[in-house]
Amino acid sequence: MLTFPDLAIDLDVRGVSKHYRQHGKDFTAVDDLSLRVPKGAFCSILGPSGCGKTTLLRMIAGFIEPDAGEIFIGGNSMRGVPPNRRPANMIFQHLALFPMMSVGENVAYGLARRGIAKKLIQHQVDAMLERVGLAGAAVKRIDQLSGGQKQRAAIARSLVLEPTLLLLDEPLGALDLKLREHMKLELKQLQAQIGTTFVYITHDQSEALVMSDFIAVMNQGKFEQTGTPQDLYYRPQTAFVAGFVGNSNRLSGRMGAGAGSVAQVDDGPALFVSPQQAFPPGRSLALFIRPEAIVLACPPAPLENFANRLSGKVLSLFFDGANSTVLIRLDDSDIELHVALFQNGFHADIHPGDTVSLGIAAEHVLAFAV
Amino acid sequence: MRPANRLLLWLLLAPAVLWLGLLIVLPHLEILMLSLRQRVAPHEYAFSLQQYATFFDEPLYWHTFARTALISLLATLLTLLLAFPVAWHIAKVARGRSKALMLALLLLPFWASEMVRTLGWVILLRGSGVIPQWLFHLGLTAEPVELLYNDASILLGLVYSSLLFMLIPLVNALETLDDSLVEAAYDLGGSRVNILRQIILSHAAPGIAAGSVMVFMLTLGNYLTPVLLGGKNSMWFTEQIYTQFITRFNWEQGAAFALLLLVLSTLMVWVGLKLTGQGFGETLRRT
Amino acid sequence: MSMSMSMSIRNHLVLGLALAALTGQALAADKLRLLTWADYAPKDVVEQFTKETGIAVEVTLSNNEEMISKLRATGGAGYDLAQPSQDRITGPMAEFGIYKPIDLGKIKTARFIPEMLASTSRVTTLAGKVYAVPYFWGTDGLVVNTAKARLSDYVDLCRPEFSGKVSVRLKRPTLIAMAFSMGEDPFKAYADPRKYQQIMTAAGDKLIACKQNLKYFWESKDQLLNDLRTGELVAAQMWDSGGWKINTENPAIKFIAPKSGALGWVDTFALPAKGKNDAAAYAWINFVMRPEIAARLAKSAGSFTAVNGAENFMDARMKAQLNESFPKAALKNIKWYPAIPAGLEEIEGRVLDRIKAAN
């Protein structure tokens, strides 16, 4: 758990649980979770579908009442406070813009519910639309907006209420890839500029990594790890986080008997590893090696600076510009590894069938008990 | 277009054209012609506006006309009020099997003819019938009261026979309402009343218009229910038309009444759609 | 809307197919299309007729007004034989030409009560031609639950103690009956529209004043009998056969001839102008006027036939009921409907409308 000693806490989730009965069986969607989000932070809750993140978000918004625990927003308990009285607003997965109203009326909806004078509403709506880059769009119908514009209209509709918390339920999921990449950056910039605390849930690790100040990785109703994107990427604390955040080659093996940290990969070589804790010999392990942590030599050359030196043959080449990888089969085994190709032209002439040398530092082979 | 193709086109269109012409346009023209003549002597008729003049001269006729329109309007409104929560439940709350079951239950009464359904109410409401006897035995009334033969029983019968026609377009309209719109409005500070008005009703407006138009027209043209349940004071305009045609042998007067009823229903539907801002074409598509 | 439209399309299709089937059938077999009242052509009699003659009978149930309307709509086509009341023949005939003269030579006239045949011929003669022969006759009077109410004439229905417990039909016989019981003679006034108007208006006013006494205007015989049975009604204006039917179940409920006189009606046989099978129509008339058939019919309908000597076959209970309801003087006092001149319905209609509208 991270601590933020000098910052006010906007969201404080304390020991919250939620159980459901499904097909006659009890099912725990959210299991005794705690989370503190400081003012102005962009916090993501990252997890696969069905992990309970949507339930958590809906409890924060007030649509679901927790079975146990308590939620504080801006220092106030939210027990018994309905969604329309909470200082938190939500951006829905499909945005839920009101199709029967114009863009301006959508943004004005919440203000009008507060009984603010029409003139003032008009002024605030225009100002907010300008801020999100939709100046002059107030009179448009919702279906006249592009995907990105709808996104901004939905955000404007919530932010105009100046909530303590903005909750976002995978709002980029429905966009096409290119727009999604663009909106990631835009959302991040908008949040930085406005300073409202964001709680963003997603199953897309890339969205979480790019935008967040910190991320809680959630699995089966519990947080696996909470930390900055860098923490999660470079210092995963569980096999789940290592596998879920970023790309990794996953191997299975056993702890070796000798001195030093050597693991025997099943049907493969022995590797020097970076154990996350002390394992007894023979313990089953999951090993994670990131593609960009493997150094390639082609034609084969001795790679003396690396604890692990291997050789193999190129099976196939996946050219994807900066994200290009090759798939290599290690000699004398069936083990295949994805290796990143750095675009400095150094490996520009690599071909399937080429023989290569591989070097991996011990600290880049992460080992977890399974 | 080649002649053969044109012939084919006409052949394909023929059923529709025949149907429109023979069953809708021609009878109405005939009715119009009938309404514009007056009997002078046996087998002798002359052009006249007398039938329409009679309608406006005789308070009974236009009272009945206005009364029919008002009660139909009231019945439509009541049907809407009753049907809405049921439609909401079916569209939004019920799931899977219970939803299918509810729809089946709604359809079930329509397996019996309108006559049988209406007589069912007679059996329930008449002085010696089920409900007055219960009220009496429960001590709620000093003697079995006659619940039939008043405007309330007409309304009851009309609403009952109209419910399904309101429910189906309403359920359709509400089913297409994205739940997250309601949640979003709630989240943005909307009260229940406001969400109902601004989000739910405005989304369901085309369905409401479609159901109301259908129920209004069915009610206005209903004959059996007002006659069977209304008793001695029931005055329903279709009854007047029937009387003119069948027991008075006054086709001319009956035709004038029928045309006036057609004009009334067209006019009221048009005004209703205008007032609620619904397009006629859009509404027809929904029914 | 699309629903009701498609339903009506289907109905029209079905109707069309049914019509096609009917016409095909009519061409194929000898057939009598009979437009008549309920109980006038029971199934067993129809079956016997078909067996004897090979002629199938297609029965359509109706009443006086509907018979006229139906025949008017087609100019007298669609049926081979109709059974309107004798007073409703010359008027509609003059107005709409819906009947053709009847050939008494083709009817076994010896089977009829001579006075009735003569009287019906007289009432249904137009321009020197006879249009009908009599079939059943009966009367309109009062059905009274004598255990709960005592009354002797139509005006008594308006006495305050019967509030909500009596019923009449909203039809012309009610106006005429009320007029008689108020001391007028509406039949005499048939020829004098102004006088008739005056009498009808007075009768209408009486009924308007009396309206709160009426539980409803009855339309269905079964509904009326049912409410008499349960005691919801204690008296009603009705025809004799209905009264006697309920009298058989409950002797306290009697059919009585009002003091001012019961109204006497005669239902007839008349030939629609464009009927296609006159031979079958005459065959039917001669068949049902056989004394033994007529007696069976009279029993099932609860009415009296115009057949000579049918009293010999008459049901004993019916005879007793007739005697109880009609002492000699009352029988003499029956007011028989004369032919209605065209246009009278207009006057009565307005009065009936006024009654309906009054509160």
Side-chain angles (χ1 to χ4, degrees), chain A residues 22-335:
Chain A
Q22 219 172 19
H23 309 299
K25 270 189 284 184
D26 272 324
F27 163 73
T28 302
V30 172
D31 190 0
D32 191 22
L33 281 190
S34 295
L35 176 71
R36 285 153 71 87
V37 180
K39 190 173 202 57
F42 194 127
C43 164
S44 290
I45 297 166
L46 172 66
S49 57
C51 74
K53 59 188 190 297
T54 300
T55 306
L56 177 60
L57 195 77
R58 290 173 68 81
M59 285 196 285
I60 299 171
F63 292 117
I64 301 176
E65 198 60 25
D67 293 335
E70 197 163 359
I71 293 166
F72 295 83
I73 299 175
N76 301 314
S77 168
M78 289 295 118
R79 185 167 287 166
V81 180
N84 54 353
R85 302 254 192 75
R86 292 195 180 196
N89 290 114
M90 187 149 158
I91 307 293
F92 288 79
Q93 193 163 14
H94 298 287
L95 306 177
L97 288 163
F98 305 134
M100 59 289 271
M101 301 180 195
S102 69
V103 173
E105 286 167 337
N106 263 278
V107 178
Y109 181 84
L111 294 173
R113 303 287 75 73
R114 291 182 178 174
I116 296 171
K118 269 213 171 102
K119 254 221 154 81
L120 202 57
I121 291 180
Q122 181 73 40
H123 182 75
Q124 289 192 30
V125 167
D126 289 344
M128 180 48 78
L129 284 174
E130 196 175 334
R131 212 160 162 191
V132 297
L134 285 175
V139 292
K140 284 193 178 171
R141 289 197 319 272
I142 295 301
D143 56 16
Q144 289 174 308
L145 299 185
S146 70
Q149 288 174 322
K150 281 182 189 164
Q151 197 79 235
R152 288 184 221 147
I155 290 168
R157 185 175 71 172
S158 287
L159 285 185
V160 78
L161 298 174
E162 296 175 343
T164 308
L165 269 187
L166 191 69
L167 310 171
L168 301 97
D169 182 4
E170 306 203 39
L172 303 187
L175 302 180
D176 62 55
L177 185 69
K178 194 125 199 172
L179 187 57
R180 195 155 68 215
E181 294 299 318
H182 174 75
M183 285 308 296
K184 266 193 236 177
L185 304 179
E186 193 172 308
L187 209 54
K188 170 80 176 166
Q189 281 169 359
L190 187 73
Q191 193 270 339
Q193 177 197 340
I194 291 168
T196 304
T197 311
F198 276 32
V199 176
Y200 186 99
I201 71 169
T202 182
H203 66 274
D204 182 324
Q205 44 101 5
S206 150
E207 282 177 21
L209 291 176
V210 169
M211 292 190 285
S212 312
D213 295 321
F214 72 97
I215 301 170
V217 179
M218 194 170 172
N219 187 31
Q220 296 184 328
K222 284 184 172 299
F223 287 149
E224 292 270 340
Q225 184 175 354
T226 310
T228 63
Q230 291 84 347
D231 281 340
L232 296 174
Y233 192 84
Y234 293 115
R235 290 174 290 282
Q237 283 162 15
T238 66
F240 178 80
V241 175
F244 194 72
V245 177
N247 297 320
S248 273
N249 292 292
R250 181 186 170 130
L251 306 172
S252 49
R254 257 162 225 293
M255 199 62 198
S261 295
V262 176
Q264 178 62 45
V265 176
D266 295 345
D267 302 322
L271 292 175
F272 289 96
V273 302
S274 161
Q276 301 303 299
Q277 58 192 91
F279 299 121
R283 175 71 199 240
S284 288
L285 295 176
L287 306 172
F288 292 90
I289 309 165
R290 297 212 181 272
E292 70 270 22
I294 304 173
V295 171
L296 210 57
C298 177
L303 296 160
E304 269 140 24
N305 297 332
F306 295 92
N308 298 302
R309 291 184 292 272
L310 305 163
S311 62
K313 194 175 262 183
V314 175
L315 281 183
S316 40
L317 173 68
F318 303 105
F319 184 78
D320 183 17
N323 301 319
S324 301
T325 55
V326 284
L327 184 64
I328 291 166
R329 174 178 299 151
L330 297 185
D331 291 344
D332 307 321
S333 83
D334 284 336
I335 306 251

Side-chain angles (χ1 to χ4, degrees), chain B residues 39 43 54 60-61 126-128 146 149 214 232-235 239 242 246 248-249 251 284 287, chain C residues 1 65-66 68-69 72-73 94-95 211 214-217 223 227 232 345 349-350 353 356-357 359:
Chain B
R39 175 183 177 275
H43 312 296
T54 309
L60 166 72
Y61 297 148
R126 46 182 288 177
S128 60
E146 179 63 75
Y149 313 128
M214 188 140 68
K232 60 183 177 183
N233 293 318
S234 99
M235 290 195 300
E239 198 185 350
Y242 176 89
I246 303 298
R248 308 275 161 77
F249 317 125
W251 287 10
L284 281 185
T287 51
Chain C
M1 192 164 185
E65 287 93 3
E66 276 184 24
I68 297 168
S69 293
R72 181 192 173 184
E95 189 73 30
K211 195 174 175 186
L214 307 176
K215 186 178 175 73
Y216 47 72
F217 293 113
Q223 181 195 21
D227 287 346
E232 278 184 56
E345 277 109 338
R350 290 293 183 89
D353 281 346
K356 177 100 186 181
N359 274 311

Side-chain angles (χ1 to χ4, degrees), chain C residues 70-326:
Chain C
K70 278 186 176 167
L71 291 174
R72 181 192 173 184
T74 58
Y79 300 94
D80 303 310
L81 186 60
Q83 300 214 259
S85 295
Q86 64 176 12
D87 55 318
R88 307 297 283 264
I89 292 177
T90 52
M93 176 60 214
E95 189 73 30
F96 313 124
I98 53 180
Y99 298 113
K100 55 183 156 194
I102 204 157
D103 183 354
L104 292 176
K106 291 186 176 159
I107 291 172
K108 296 187 170 132
T109 48
R111 286 185 181 160
F112 289 76
I113 300 170
E115 297 87 347
M116 277 199 88
L117 186 65
S119 138
T120 298
S121 299
R122 202 166 52 244
V123 174
T124 63
T125 296
L126 185 70
K129 288 180 177 125
V130 176
Y131 282 89
V133 291
Y135 177 48
F136 274 174
W137 64 274
T139 64
D140 244 359
L142 289 166
V143 177
V144 179
N145 186 336
T146 54
K148 298 190 172 179
R150 301 223 151 262
L151 59 169
S152 62
D153 212 338
Y154 298 115
V155 281
D156 295 340
L157 290 172
C158 300
R159 293 216 307 257
E161 66 259 37
F162 301 137
S163 179
K165 291 178 173 172
V166 297
S167 183
V168 299
R169 281 183 296 169
L170 192 62
K171 294 212 166 180
R172 62 184 309 268
T174 310
L175 291 177
I176 289 166
M178 197 50 84
F180 272 116
S181 75
M182 290 164 76
E184 301 284 355
D185 188 345
F187 292 162
K188 221 178 237 168
Y190 265 17
D192 179 356
R194 191 172 304 174
K195 171 85 175 153
Y196 191 70
Q197 170 85 61
Q198 201 183 319
I199 293 176
M200 286 296 113
T201 306
D205 288 345
K206 179 81 186 166
L207 277 162
I208 288 171
C210 183
K211 195 174 175 186
Q212 64 182 37
N213 262 29
L214 307 176
K215 186 178 175 73
Y216 47 72
F217 293 113
W218 67 271
E219 303 256 352
S220 134
K221 176 185 77 177
D222 295 324
Q223 181 195 21
L224 181 79
L225 292 183
N226 213 352
D227 287 346
L228 281 164
R229 232 172 250 138
T230 60
E232 278 184 56
L233 291 173
V234 297
Q237 169 226 29
M238 206 205 181
W239 54 80
D240 48 21
S241 61
W244 290 330
K245 184 175 176 206
I246 196 164
N247 177 257
T248 329
E249 302 165 17
N250 179 355
I253 304 177
K254 295 183 196 299
F255 176 78
I256 64 167
K259 216 160 55 187
S260 58
L263 296 173
W265 48 263
V266 179
D267 288 342
T268 66
F269 291 111
L271 299 172
K274 293 181 189 159
K276 283 190 205 146
N277 201 345
D278 292 349
Y282 288 118
W284 174 262
I285 295 172
N286 288 326
F287 175 76
V288 296
M289 293 314 274
R290 279 190 216 155
E292 74 278 11
I293 305 277
R296 252 164 73 193
L297 282 166
K299 192 176 173 192
S300 79
S303 294
F304 309 106
T305 82
V307 172
N308 213 357
E311 62 267 25
N312 300 329
F313 298 89
M314 197 166 157
D315 186 61
R317 188 169 52 210
M318 236 176 108
K319 219 178 234 174
Q321 284 171 328
L322 175 66
N323 289 337
E324 188 188 7
S325 296
F326 288 98

